[in-house]
Amino acid sequence: MRRVIHLATLAAGTTVLVAVFVGLVLAQNPSPSALTGKVTSQAEGAMEGVLVGAKKAGSPITTWVVSNAQGQYSFPRQRLEPGQYTISIRAVGFELPKTSVEVTAQPAHLDLQLNKVTSTSRLAMQLSNGEWLMSVPGTQEQKLSLGGCVNCHTLQRVLFSRFDAGEMAQVVQRMTMHTNNSSLLHPWMRPNDGRVAPLAAGQIAFGKYLSSINLSGADMFEFSLKTLPRPKGKATQVIYTTYDLPRRDASPHDEVFDAEGNIWYSDFNSQFIGKLDPKTGKVVEYPIPQNRFGQIAQGGLQIDIDKEGRIYYGNMSQMQIVRFDPKTEKMETFKPPIRESEFGDGHLTMIDPAFQHVDGKLWANVAFATGEAGGTWHVDLATNTWTRVTYPPGSPLALAYDVVADSKNNMYGMQMNNDKIWVTNGKTLETVWYDFPTKGAGCRRGHLDSQDRLWCGVFHGNGLAMFDAKTKKITEWKVPTSWTRPYDAQFDDKTYVWTAGMDNDLAVRLNVQTGEFTEYLLPHETNVRHVEVQKSGALSSLWLGDQHGNTIIRVEPLVP
């Protein structure tokens, strides 16, 4: 689904493109900046923390910078080649008339005057999911249930609806029949026999709650809209690059680098894997062979790469591992030894082939399935031999959401509703469990660092965790902003661990030496799942897929 709005880029009633050349200054000597200016408004004067984007006509790439404490913004010369650029901004509560500027070989100057949003409805359309969750009344349990809606769409769709309690209960029931990767363009349904069960008590209660906070009983919200503060200080010293993907319905979920610097991504809604060249923005997509059709023909989840540069893809409801060799463009599929009648709502989601070269095996995970289909598998693709990991009677629950391999090809398992991490030995398949210090929440996804330490996102606990296999100790950090709900985490093997989530449009960097957090507001509403850290350079940078917005985003800090 394309975003419902382009945040803070449209002014009320504006229909005529304003080609703004006012304040354009041509300097006598070359400058390190291609375009500079000052962001102001009548309401605030000079404005810090406004994201300013420049997109060249005909290009899929948008470059974003952030205004400093004096309201100044600056695009480096090497980021904007000469041409006509559309200018856009993100600053909750403010809008910019449609604006464009000509960038030449000489430095250009363009001041931006923002208009304060006076309409509550227009402000509401700018809120992130996290800001909605901060704003609406309700218990923590009710808000957590509401937060489940963001799997498929923004909360604007829920809050601007006018369904009463009875109607909303039916909507809730219908939503449970959709898969977690549904969207407006791909409303995938779970397998069912066509019968509709009676409304459950929980669905009726949740429908009543939703109707109490939507517009079913009033023309405007009867609670105050809370917004997060704009970026300040270090959070303004960053450059973002967003890449539009060619398909309107592209849903990038995971990303991984190859040796040539290309970004490979999985599509959560459609049967493609894609390759992005960050230098040019060019995208090549490769269709996936299907063996299940109709409503079950969804996309995939994890994408990863092995030591030989081959791409692996967890192809979800197709219940197969896909392996693609970019050199030969040969694509292979591998299926678990399970009868299709046992698949049910099974999804082959996570795979980790990173250390397959150690013993010839990779790890795969099948989730949300019945019978023998669920669980973790140790797979030898050379012989297509699948060994399911089993546990002695009385063992703790070990239905993993994510599986991650260490350098010896042992497997780390985690689940957001399980306050344990477990490690399965790659040789013996014996498993050991480790308890989180804080109970009630577990990790959703994670990465291993160069020291074989697991870093992961504590989704329901709004934090980060690191498990050190040498000390058997789990260390936890709480992220500063509520409703971040870190989905994933990765350490840069130097100083910083990165994370992000589906709710508040923040990319978060933690200095593990000092405990300092820096939160970078993303250029637009971004449903983030996987995070991928580019470790090269003086400072690490972060790559994200916008699962709802057919874009891939790079976050480059300019200061430690």
Side-chain angles (χ1 to χ4, degrees), residues 2 5 28 78 135 167 170 205 207 229 251 302 331-332 340 360 385 389 397 451 463 471 484 493 514 521 523 526:
R2 192 61 175 168
I5 56 168
Q28 297 295 324
Q78 66 272 25
S135 300
E167 294 167 333
Q170 294 179 44
S251 301
Q302 186 168 10
M331 189 173 291
E332 305 170 273
E340 185 160 346
T385 301
V389 179
L397 186 66
Q451 301 178 51
T471 63
T484 299
D493 290 327
T514 65
L521 177 65
T526 308

Side-chain angles (χ1 to χ4, degrees), residues 436-439 441 458 463-466 474-478 510:
F436 276 94
T438 303
K439 304 302 180 184
V458 186
L464 298 168
M466 184 270 286
I474 296 176
T475 305
E476 298 175 297
W477 296 265
K478 282 284 186 180
L510 166 65

Side-chain angles (χ1 to χ4, degrees), residues 133-393:
L133 290 164
M134 290 165 45
S135 300
V136 297
T139 66
Q140 182 72 2
E141 183 180 1
Q142 288 171 326
K143 291 189 178 187
L144 285 171
S145 296
L146 177 61
C149 300
V150 309
N151 285 327
C152 303
H153 50 71
T154 67
L155 292 182
Q156 275 87 352
R157 190 166 184 84
V158 181
L159 274 299
F160 274 89
S161 72
R162 295 186 179 272
F163 297 116
D164 64 23
E167 294 167 333
M168 189 58 87
Q170 294 179 44
V171 172
V172 170
Q173 183 186 54
R174 187 170 71 251
M175 292 302 102
T176 63
M177 300 169 67
H178 286 282
T179 64
N180 288 348
N181 66 323
S182 290
S183 69
L184 298 183
L185 294 177
H186 293 288
W188 300 116
M189 302 293 288
R190 301 181 189 278
N192 64 80
D193 58 10
R195 291 179 295 180
V196 178
L199 286 169
Q203 293 169 341
I204 295 172
F206 191 43
K208 182 178 180 181
Y209 167 66
L210 294 180
S211 70
S212 74
I213 58 176
N214 72 358
L215 297 182
S216 61
D219 289 332
M220 194 39 61
F221 303 106
E222 298 179 336
F223 51 86
S224 59
L225 301 181
K226 299 177 182 178
T227 60
L228 293 172
R230 293 197 305 272
K232 291 183 179 293
K234 285 185 178 181
T236 69
Q237 299 181 62
V238 60
I239 295 177
Y240 306 92
T241 309
T242 64
Y243 299 85
D244 294 340
L245 301 179
R247 280 187 298 108
R248 179 170 172 259
D249 63 339
S251 301
H253 194 287
D254 278 31
E255 315 79 38
V256 67
F257 293 100
D258 67 18
E260 287 73 42
N262 298 304
I263 304 294
W264 292 83
Y265 62 88
S266 61
D267 193 298
F268 202 37
N269 291 141
S270 303
Q271 294 296 333
F272 297 94
I273 56 174
K275 180 180 72 171
L276 166 69
D277 181 345
K279 295 178 181 178
T280 65
K282 180 182 177 181
V283 172
V284 180
E285 291 192 316
Y286 302 89
I288 303 298
Q290 299 182 51
N291 62 83
R292 305 179 78 194
F293 299 92
Q295 280 290 324
I296 206 67
Q298 307 160 23
L301 206 151
Q302 186 168 10
I303 194 167
D304 215 329
I305 192 167
D306 70 9
K307 191 176 181 180
E308 298 178 37
R310 295 175 297 185
I311 306 298
Y312 293 75
Y313 181 44
N315 199 196
M316 280 196 4
S317 57
Q318 293 295 308
M319 288 293 283
Q320 61 187 10
I321 295 172
V322 176
R323 182 168 68 189
F324 178 71
D325 189 336
K327 298 175 184 177
T328 64
E329 296 195 354
K330 178 182 179 181
M331 189 173 291
E332 305 170 273
T333 60
F334 304 87
K335 301 174 181 62
I338 306 169
R339 294 187 300 272
E340 185 160 346
S341 60
E342 293 185 66
F343 283 176
D345 190 26
H347 293 69
L348 195 157
T349 53
M350 307 296 185
I351 41 94
D352 195 336
F355 294 96
Q356 183 179 212
H357 57 278
V358 172
D359 56 12
K361 299 176 182 178
L362 59 77
W363 297 93
N365 191 58
V366 180
F368 312 117
T370 58
E372 293 298 307
T376 300
W377 297 76
H378 208 202
V379 187
D380 184 338
L381 294 187
T383 60
N384 200 27
T385 301
W386 296 62
T387 303
R388 186 171 184 262
V389 179
T390 58
Y391 312 97

